[in-house]
């Protein structure tokens, strides 16, 4: 009756990948983990309190004076390259769950304005450029624009104020986003509805790579409550991802936090949340329910702190996560249980910009029935994390579209393992 819990600390990188400077040369110095730890000493006058992350082997993966250099827990610890272009939460999670996301199309909205406008007009919408900029104002209320939080050209957004129109339903924000998705070549189109501090046009700015879009954190959407988001991804075979594979095998699946918004699995119990306390509570509740389980949880507030270039806040959230991981370790004690802690990209809050950073991420696996500490070679892709989780649940990693298990657990259900 194995239980596997994957906790994704959003934006938690452990050092720049070799190609991190392709877009921004300064990103070659990115080190989210190290810089947050260094900032804590300077700002708080003490090290961050991360005993559980240390015990899970974070200091083995990322040596630092404020992280334990050894552990008595039975863990496997290593790093993973991202396995997809850029640094993006959606692409990161889809890859982690076993999708082959190595061929993401990168495109600015400016290069596709005509076909997007044509599609919106054919769907009965009124679309026009806003103040001559390469973004669209739809029906006088919804902005279609480049996403400025991810690397340029990875995602587009359709954003609106909930005071002006509904999120769902005919003519709503989501309907506009779905029309854009029908012609968009990018990884995802994100429908965003929230309560802004003013007219959306006042928060438009230029981003990297000649992109133009809404500065979503500046609008107040993340602060003012009532946020509604739906991620419309590029076509993928979700049946060949970990949640679908587990559900078909009769294993209950719970998706928590942002994972509930961006992962596809009809049978899953969804627990969307932004507040870290809620994410941890829902995750613990899912484990306490007993029986077999796959739980995938995303801690988003680390990523938000990275976007806000707030290293102090980032550190505080990490401490909160560490305390929650202690509760999970206390529950996941049976042979076959697994706790996997990882990230989806970096988001260095001291790098000097508000974008994700292309970094390796930690892969920390607690194995109650394991023997000692195993140091893992660098994984080529986050897909290897999903394949490892599949194997821990005695599922065949072959049934995923991508990924190779990092550790050997048991024989998969009904088939010999073939990678």
């Amino acid at each position: 009756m194995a239980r596997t819990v994957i906790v994704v600390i959003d934006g938690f990188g452990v050092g720049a990948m070799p190609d991190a400077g392709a877009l921004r040369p300064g990103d070659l110095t990115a080190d989210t983990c190290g810089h947050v730890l260094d900032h804590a000493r300077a700002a708080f006058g003490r090290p961050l309190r991360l005993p559980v992350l240390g015990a899970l082997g974070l200091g083995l993966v990322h040596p630092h004076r404020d992280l334990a250099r050894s552990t008595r827990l039975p863990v496997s610890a290593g790093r993973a390259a991202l396995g997809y272009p850029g640094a993006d939460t959606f692409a990161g999670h889809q890859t982690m769950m076993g999708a082959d996301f190595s061929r993401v199309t990168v495109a600015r909205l400016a290069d596709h304005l005509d076909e997007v406008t044509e599609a919106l007009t054919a769907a009965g919408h009124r679309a026009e450029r806003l103040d001559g900029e390469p973004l669209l104002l739809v029906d006088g209320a919804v902005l279609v624009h480049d996403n400025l939080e991810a690397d340029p050209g990875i995602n587009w957004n359709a954003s609106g104020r909930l005071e002006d129109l509904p999120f769902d339903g005919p003519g709503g924000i989501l309907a506009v986003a779905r029309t854009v998705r029908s012609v968009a070549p990018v990884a995802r189109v994100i429908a965003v509805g929230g309560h802004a501090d003013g007219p959306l046009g006042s928060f438009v700015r230029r981003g990297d790579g000649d992109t133009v879009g809404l500065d979503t954190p500046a609008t107040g959407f993340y602060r003012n409550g009532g946020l509604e988001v739906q991620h419309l991804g590029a076509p993928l075979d979700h049946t060949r991802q970990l949640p679908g594979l587990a559900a078909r095998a009769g294993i209950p699946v719970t998706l928590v936090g942002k994972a509930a918004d961006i992962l596809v699995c009809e049978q899953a119990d969804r627990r969307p949340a932004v507040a870290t306390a809620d994410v941890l509570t829902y995750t613990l509740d899912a484990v306490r329910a007993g029986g077999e389980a796959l739980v995938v949880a995303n801690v988003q507030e680390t990523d938000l702190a990275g976007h806000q270039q707030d290293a102090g806040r980032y550190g505080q959230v990490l401490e909160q996560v560490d305390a929650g991981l202690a509760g999970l370790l206390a529950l996941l004690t049976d042979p076959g249980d697994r706790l996997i802690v990882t990230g989806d990209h970096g988001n260095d809050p001291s790098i000097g910009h508000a974008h994700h950073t292309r970094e390796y991420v930690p892969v920390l696996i607690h194995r109650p029935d394991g023997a000692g500490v195993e140091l893992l070679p660098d994984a080529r892709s986050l897909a290897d994390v999903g394949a490892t989780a599949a194997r821990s649940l005695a599922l065949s990693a072959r049934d995923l579209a991508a990924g190779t298990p990092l550790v050997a657990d048991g024989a998969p259900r009904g088939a010999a393992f073939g990678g």
Side-chain angles (χ1 to χ4, degrees):
M1 303 296 287
R3 298 170 293 180
T4 293
V5 179
I6 302 174
V7 176
V8 183
I9 305 177
D10 204 314
F12 190 46
V14 290
M17 291 176 56
D19 60 354
L23 178 65
R24 294 176 291 268
D27 282 10
L28 281 171
T29 65
D31 180 1
T32 301
C33 178
H35 291 156
V36 169
L37 290 168
D38 292 341
H39 179 272
R41 271 192 173 264
F44 305 151
R46 63 166 177 84
L48 283 184
R49 299 185 181 99
L50 304 176
V52 179
L53 283 168
L56 289 171
L58 182 59
L60 304 177
V61 172
H62 186 289
H64 191 280
R65 61 178 176 170
D66 293 335
L67 294 172
R69 295 296 183 92
S70 62
T71 178
R72 296 181 179 180
L73 290 182
V75 298
S76 299
R79 306 184 306 176
L82 301 185
Y84 65 90
D88 176 62
T89 294
F90 179 83
H93 280 69
Q94 302 301 333
T95 300
M96 190 185 302
M97 293 299 104
D100 181 358
F101 231 70
S102 61
R103 296 183 179 181
V104 171
T105 300
V106 176
R108 298 179 308 150
L109 178 63
D111 297 327
H112 296 271
L113 282 174
D114 288 345
E115 56 258 55
V116 174
T117 300
E118 183 178 342
L120 288 164
T121 301
H125 298 285
R126 185 179 76 260
E128 55 192 344
R129 292 177 64 161
L130 179 67
D131 299 329
E133 295 285 3
L135 73 171
L136 296 174
L137 179 64
V138 182
D139 299 333
V142 180
L143 281 182
V144 176
H145 58 92
D146 292 313
N147 179 296
L148 301 184
E149 295 177 74
D151 281 337
I154 296 292
N155 307 318
W156 299 346
N157 282 23
S159 305
R161 303 194 315 168
L162 296 176
E163 295 90 344
D164 299 331
L165 76 172
F167 183 75
D168 207 347
I173 300 165
L174 185 56
V176 172
R178 284 174 172 153
T179 300
V180 175
R181 171 74 275 174
S182 69
V183 294
V186 295
R188 59 174 163 158
V189 173
I190 310 172
V192 183
H195 301 286
D197 295 332
L200 293 188
S202 63
F203 300 104
V204 171
R205 66 172 177 82
R206 294 192 173 275
D208 288 346
D210 295 324
T211 55
V212 179
L214 192 66
D215 186 343
T216 304
T219 64
F221 276 3
Y222 296 136
R223 301 189 308 270
N224 295 335
L227 182 69
E228 295 196 57
V229 179
Q230 188 160 328
H231 300 257
L232 307 177
L236 294 172
D237 185 356
H238 298 293
T239 66
R240 299 193 66 193
Q241 291 185 286
L242 180 62
L245 189 62
R248 289 196 302 276
I251 299 172
V253 177
T254 304
L255 305 176
V256 181
K258 199 170 184 178
D261 297 326
I262 60 181
L263 296 179
V264 173
C265 179
E266 290 184 4
Q267 302 93 326
D269 183 14
R270 297 180 182 276
R271 293 286 183 265
V274 174
T276 301
D278 292 339
V279 171
L280 294 172
T281 295
Y282 293 148
T283 304
L284 288 163
D285 287 348
V287 176
R288 291 191 186 105
E292 288 186 298
L294 169 65
V295 183
V296 183
N298 173 282
V299 177
Q300 186 179 1
E301 287 190 309
T302 43
D303 190 53
L304 297 180
H307 286 307
Q308 294 158 5
Q309 293 287 276
D310 189 342
R313 176 58 181 156
Y314 199 120
Q316 292 169 344
V317 177
L318 273 185
E319 290 188 328
Q320 189 178 5
V321 172
D322 198 87
L325 293 175
L328 287 171
L329 281 180
L331 293 173
L332 296 168
T333 58
D334 294 339
D337 285 347
R338 296 290 181 267
L339 172 62
I340 302 175
V341 180
T342 187
D344 51 352
H345 50 73
N347 198 338
D348 189 332
S350 66
I351 201 67
H353 60 72
H355 300 287
H356 295 157
T357 43
R358 186 165 168 81
E359 300 180 52
Y360 292 100
V361 296
V363 181
L364 313 176
I365 306 170
H366 179 246
R367 302 171 289 113
D369 52 353
V373 176
E374 179 184 12
L375 295 180
L376 302 171
D378 285 348
R380 292 176 297 177
S381 169
L382 281 171
D384 294 349
V385 175
T388 302
R391 196 165 199 201
S392 73
L393 292 166
L395 300 168
S396 174
R398 290 183 179 183
D399 294 333
L400 301 174
T404 301
L406 298 170
V407 295
D409 279 312
R413 303 172 189 231
F417 175 67

